[in-house]
Each structure stands twice: as structure tokens, then as C-alpha cells.
Amino acid sequence: MATPNTLIFVDLASDDPAAAGRFYAEVFGWQDDPRPLGVYHRMVPGGQFKNPDGTDSEIGNLHIGIFKADNARPHPNPAGVEPRTLSQDGRKSRVWILIGDGDSAERILADAEQRGAIILWRDHYWSEFNGYNHAFRDPWGNEIVLWGKAGPNPQIPADYTRE
């Protein structure tokens, strides 16, 4: 039997991967692994996916890459190809980040905003997936959605929007 096609990585564009690597290291506490510095940065959150019983599985958490917009690697042409600029307008991919135990959306949003992010929304409950969510756009235009588990019988704060 064939194995499934598996998501292994998501890349974000930046005109300054080193600065973006520092941003995500400072906001989320991830390890910034430049490969090489300023060209491509692998962000490593650490930890493992959880088993149903809450113990760590053998599967490590996914990584995020940050690539230099003017020369997205890998590519057969070492000089890169067009487009060489960041896309700021219109819809694009979003990255969903699960808020870790012991952390908070408030802390993450404050740290992101302090480092140049724009807060898109906060304090929303999405019943379809039973979670609290908040979002920001990083200084390079990437949209990050924070996800907080609501748990069984959630008590949605009165000031949250709902869907």
C-alpha cells in the first residue's frame, strides 16, 4: 500500500529572513536555524505531537521555513526568478499556531505588536472547531492565526465574538 502524501513544511516569505527569524524566536520562543543566515531560516518549535493520552508521541512538531522573497530557494536557477517582492494585497495562505500550555494569546499578541506586527482581530470563538482565535499580520505580510483550545463545555467570555 502506498503511503499518504504528507505535509512536511510551510514557508513564509520575507525580505529579511534573519529579522523574521528573530521575530518568531522572540514571539513564540522557537529556535531560529539559519541555513544559511539571511537566505533561509528554519524555525523549530521543539516538542512532539501528543498521543491521545496526552503523552509525547515519536513525531516532532512541524517546522516553518522563512525564505528570502527576492530569491526563493530551492530553485533550479541559482539567481532566482520573478516575482522578487512580497505580496501585501489580497488573500493569501494563513498559518495556524496552537497556543501552548502556559502561554497566552495576550502575551503573544503584545510581543508580536511590539515587534511590528499588526493585530487583525482578537477574542473570537469559532464553534465549528471549538476554539478561541486571534490573528496578526507579521511585518512581512504573513497572516498568523492563534488557536486556543476551548475544551468541553466552553465558557465563552461575554466580550468574545462568536461564529
Side-chain angles (χ1 to χ4, degrees), residues 7-80:
L7 174 66
I8 59 168
F9 228 74
V10 174
D11 281 344
L12 303 176
S14 172
D15 56 5
D16 187 348
R22 282 190 305 276
F23 175 90
Y24 284 99
E26 292 169 358
V27 170
F28 290 111
W30 296 342
Q31 176 189 345
D32 180 6
D33 181 19
R35 301 184 71 153
L37 178 67
V39 175
Y40 190 90
H41 286 240
R42 181 176 68 159
M43 304 309 299
V44 183
Q48 309 295 111
F49 280 101
K50 299 294 182 190
N51 289 314
D53 66 2
T55 60
D56 285 345
S57 75
E58 296 177 7
I59 304 167
N61 286 322
L62 298 177
H63 300 172
I64 290 179
I66 302 171
F67 69 92
K68 190 168 180 111
D70 69 359
N71 190 351
R73 308 302 309 159
H75 191 278
N77 180 346

Side-chain angles (χ1 to χ4, degrees), residues 7 17-18 30 42 45 63 67-69 81 83 89 102 118 121-123 125 132 138 156 160 163:
L7 174 66
W30 296 342
R42 181 176 68 159
H63 300 172
F67 69 92
K68 190 168 180 111
V81 295
D89 298 325
I118 297 168
W121 78 82
R122 59 177 81 226
D123 302 339
Y125 173 73
Y132 305 115
D138 75 11
I156 299 111
Y160 272 50
E163 168 178 357

